[in-house]
């Protein structure tokens, strides 16, 4: 048995490695996806006042702190037994959409576009954002501009781009200023034009990746997402829905407080990340996927005109449900467009300028759960407190965790298809890493390649001798 190790997996948020085991004939016998970091937030939050939880848990990630702020604040709302005022809810939704825009732009343009536009087999020294800037400066500029636009909305609302203290239990701590609203509206046409142009361009290159589409985590699974009463996506306040690989609803209308009836959590020997599964199907059979691809699969419609048109074409091209994890990229761009459309709808509602944006209360319930769609998928925060409001117990299921089992299976499928024998080429290994990037995993923070070969691969014979080392 020989082992290939990809360490680290690059262009993802966080730290992970992949082990690929080859038998004596050079065939892939097994693969393991390892998340190699442990953070401990669920334990060291114990004893803290519940109202500190949004600002504490936002520190889990510097890429998507808004997502943790919102899920945590919703759990705190439940502990207080209050609903934020309507304007507070609209403002939370607005910053949430901005988070989707900036996060999806980062994932597509900065992390995955080097593979998609320069090629999976291109020189690894150039297969990064700097190579993309050199080869396709307009695409690189579009990525920077879209991410900047999302971050500027966050800064305009919360006065900070990272870890803002503006989202609080009961709502938000300041109303939207009219000049900020006008500034965002003025920037929307240019942002939409960039998103639409990128989406059209991406559709023209899809045919180049027929082999990857067929083999990038394409095994049918269940899917889960948050939907509204009409069946469309509701990133902020939807109800959880599970559907099977054929599109049949398995369970729906699930509120945050009831998630444990449907989601179990397994521990894996090779990873610090938990492995959630659909409890009625058991472990490990209950594999499901979340995130952009899953949301488009469970949604009947997007609810905004341009994104609805793109959703129809998406299913014509990719199938319905679409199963290839390669199509996470396609789905992500449709959601980016939908997020910009939602921002315009929210800003054109006069009620968004109302000044009553926060409800106040003390502890009225000893337990609360908050559930939202983060850019990468469903995010759940669940807290238990004592009578004084001190945290006694915390459970958090991060978006990437839901995809853990599916990512492991996808890594195995890609490795078995593309890797054969001792002549392991870098492009083969890059495809194994790329299927992980398709999910845009957020393992805590960003890791980026600097232009050097981003891994050391060692082939080890059964007697322990090194057959070959690459890197």
């Amino acid at each position: 048995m020989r082992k290939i190790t990809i360490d680290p997996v690059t262009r993802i948020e966080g730290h992970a490695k992949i082990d690929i085991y080859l038998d004596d004939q050079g065939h892939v016998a097994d693969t393991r996806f390892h998340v190699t970091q442990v953070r401990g937030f669920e334990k060291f939050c114990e004893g803290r006042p519940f109202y500190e939880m949004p600002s504490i848990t936002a520190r889990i990630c510097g890429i998507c702190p808004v997502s943790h702020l919102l899920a945590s604040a919703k759990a705190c709302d439940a502990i207080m037994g209050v609903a934020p005022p309507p304007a507070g809810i609209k403002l939370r939704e607005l910053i949430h959409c901005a988070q989707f825009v900036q996060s999806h732009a980062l994932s597509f343009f900065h992390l995955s576009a080097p593979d998609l536009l320069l090629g999976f087999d291109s020189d690894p020294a150039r297969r990064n954002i700097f190579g993309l800037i050199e080869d396709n400066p307009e695409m690189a500029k579009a990525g920077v501009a879209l991410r900047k636009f999302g971050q500027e909305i966050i800064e305009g609302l919360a006065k900070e781009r990272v870890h803002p203290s503006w989202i609080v239990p009961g709502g938000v701590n300041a109303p939207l200023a009219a000049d900020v609203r006008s500034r965002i509206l003025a920037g929307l046409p240019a942002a939409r034009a960039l998103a639409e142009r990128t989406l059209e361009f991406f559709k023209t290159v899809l045919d180049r990746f027929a082999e990857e589409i067929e083999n990038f985590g394409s095994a049918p699974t269940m899917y889960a997402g948050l939907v509204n009463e009409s069946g469309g996506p509701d990133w902020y306040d939807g109800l959880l829905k599970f559907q099977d690989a054929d599109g049949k609803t398995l369970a729906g209308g699930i509120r945050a407080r009831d998630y444990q009836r449907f989601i179990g959590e397994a521990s894996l020997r090779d990873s610090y990340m938990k492995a959630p599964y659909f409890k009625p199907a058991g472990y490990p059979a209950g594999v499901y996927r979340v995130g952009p691809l899953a949301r488009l699969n469970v949604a009947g419609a997007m609810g905004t005109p341009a994104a609805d048109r793109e959703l129809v074409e998406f299913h014509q091209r990719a199938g319905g449900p679409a199963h290839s994890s390669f199509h996470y990229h396609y789905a992500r761009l449709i959601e980016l467009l939908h997020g910009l459309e939602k921002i315009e709808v929210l800003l054109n509602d006069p009620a968004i300028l109302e000044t009553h944006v926060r409800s106040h209360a003390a502890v009225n319930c000893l337990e609360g759960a908050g559930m939202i769609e983060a850019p990468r998928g469903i995010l759940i925060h669940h807290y238990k407190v004592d009578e004084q409001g001190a945290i006694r117990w915390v459970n958090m299921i991060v978006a990437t965790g839901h995809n853990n089992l599916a990512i492991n299976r996808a890594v195995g499928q890609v490795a078995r298809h593309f890797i054969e024998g001792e002549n392991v080429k870098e492009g083969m290994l890059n495809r194994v890493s790329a299927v992980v990037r398709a999910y845009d995993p957020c393992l805590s923070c960003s890791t980026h390649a600097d232009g050097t070969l981003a891994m050391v691969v060692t082939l080890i014979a059964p007697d322990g001798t090194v057959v070959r080392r690459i890197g």
Side-chain angles (χ1 to χ4, degrees):
M1 184 74 72
R2 290 165 289 177
K3 182 172 77 169
I4 301 173
T5 298
I6 301 174
D7 185 11
V9 179
T10 58
R11 286 184 275 132
I12 61 172
E13 288 89 356
H15 307 285
K17 70 175 183 177
I18 295 170
D19 287 332
I20 304 168
Y21 297 87
L22 306 180
D23 62 22
D24 292 338
Q25 287 72 49
H27 303 301
V28 173
D30 195 12
T31 60
R32 304 284 174 83
F33 173 64
H34 309 268
V35 178
T36 57
Q37 61 193 28
V38 60
R39 306 295 301 286
F41 272 80
E42 289 170 323
K43 293 303 293 181
F44 66 64
C45 287
E46 292 177 4
R48 304 305 306 171
F50 78 92
Y51 52 79
E52 291 184 354
M53 290 299 287
S55 59
I56 292 174
T57 58
R59 268 67 185 176
I60 290 171
C61 179
I63 301 299
C64 46
V66 169
S67 300
H68 286 286
L69 282 162
L70 287 169
S72 181
K74 290 186 73 175
C76 294
D77 295 344
I79 288 170
M80 296 190 303
V82 300
I89 293 174
K90 292 179 189 298
L91 290 172
R92 283 184 177 183
E93 287 192 81
L94 180 59
I95 199 170
H96 194 28
C97 289
Q99 167 72 8
F100 266 75
V101 169
Q102 72 89 10
S103 181
H104 281 355
L106 171 65
S107 174
F108 181 80
F109 291 97
H110 295 74
L111 306 184
S112 291
D115 294 323
L116 303 173
L117 301 183
L118 303 179
F120 289 102
D121 298 300
S122 59
D123 181 0
R126 296 189 65 257
R127 197 178 57 231
N128 50 49
I129 187 62
F130 302 107
L132 184 64
I133 291 170
E134 184 178 335
D135 270 36
N136 198 327
E138 291 306 311
M139 186 66 69
K141 289 177 183 177
V144 171
L146 281 167
R147 184 156 194 250
K148 180 183 178 183
F149 183 66
Q151 289 180 306
E152 286 178 341
I153 295 174
I154 294 170
E155 184 178 34
L157 293 169
K159 312 308 178 191
E160 300 167 285
R161 292 193 182 189
V162 182
H163 308 314
S165 56
W166 181 71
I167 301 167
V168 291
V172 297
N173 66 15
L176 173 64
D179 64 320
V180 173
R181 173 181 175 272
S182 298
R183 189 164 65 245
I184 299 170
L185 283 170
L188 272 170
R192 276 198 57 173
L194 290 174
E196 290 169 348
R197 188 160 68 242
T198 302
L199 189 50
E200 289 304 312
F201 174 80
F202 180 72
K203 288 185 288 189
T204 67
V205 303
L206 270 177
D207 290 344
R208 301 180 192 172
F209 302 106
E211 188 176 10
E212 285 80 11
I213 290 171
E214 185 175 352
N215 295 284
F216 266 41
S218 57
T221 64
M222 293 177 281
Y223 299 94
L226 303 188
V227 298
N228 57 30
E229 293 180 353
S230 301
D234 189 334
W235 296 342
Y236 174 73
D237 208 24
L239 301 178
L240 178 57
K241 173 185 174 182
F242 287 90
Q243 73 173 38
D244 68 13
D246 297 320
K248 178 183 176 182
T249 299
L250 298 172
I254 304 165
R255 298 187 181 279
R257 62 176 180 264
D258 299 320
Y259 78 93
Q260 289 178 311
R261 291 172 49 201
F262 299 92
I263 299 175
E265 297 178 80
S267 296
L268 304 180
R269 290 182 57 190
D270 302 306
S271 177
Y272 284 115
M273 186 163 63
K274 295 180 289 188
Y277 59 94
F278 183 56
K279 192 177 283 187
Y283 174 82
V287 179
Y288 62 93
R289 282 181 273 180
V290 300
L293 180 69
R295 286 190 288 257
L296 266 59
N297 279 336
V298 303
M302 299 301 293
T304 54
D308 275 333
R309 291 192 296 271
E310 294 295 342
L311 180 63
V312 172
E313 184 175 353
F314 172 81
H315 285 306
Q316 290 172 344
R317 289 172 173 267
H323 295 303
S324 174
S325 294
F326 188 90
H327 288 311
Y328 268 94
H329 303 302
Y330 192 172
R332 199 166 283 121
L333 290 177
I334 294 174
E335 287 198 330
L336 196 159
L337 178 60
H338 173 64
L340 292 169
E341 288 186 290
K342 275 288 284 185
I343 289 169
E344 185 171 13
V345 171
L346 287 164
L347 288 174
N348 282 328
D349 184 343
I352 203 164
L353 291 175
E354 292 178 0
T355 57
H356 182 41
V357 294
R358 183 177 183 181
S359 301
H360 296 270
V363 174
N364 287 302
C365 303
L366 299 182
E367 185 173 358
M371 179 170 65
I372 65 159
E373 287 280 8
R376 291 151 188 84
I378 298 161
L379 174 63
I380 299 170
H381 281 228
H382 184 190
Y383 309 149
K384 296 180 182 179
V385 301
D386 63 19
E387 295 285 352
Q388 287 71 47
I391 294 290
R392 295 191 299 109
W393 177 89
V394 174
N395 188 43
M396 291 180 283
I397 306 180
V398 299
T400 301
H402 295 282
N403 283 329
N404 194 358
L405 296 175
I407 291 173
N408 271 281
R409 292 188 179 188
V411 165
Q413 182 188 19
V414 174
R416 288 181 177 90
H417 180 80
F418 288 100
I419 294 177
E420 188 73 27
E422 293 183 7
N423 186 25
V424 179
K425 298 180 180 179
E426 191 277 337
M428 300 176 183
L429 300 176
N430 184 43
R431 285 171 172 82
V432 178
S433 297
V435 77
V436 177
R437 287 193 287 271
Y439 287 85
D440 189 25
C442 192
L443 306 176
S444 78
C445 57
S446 295
T447 301
H448 297 275
D450 63 1
T452 59
L453 184 63
M455 62 195 76
V456 176
V457 178
T458 305
L459 298 181
I460 303 174
D463 63 2
T465 59
V466 176
V467 176
R468 188 179 176 198
R469 180 175 285 113
I470 306 170

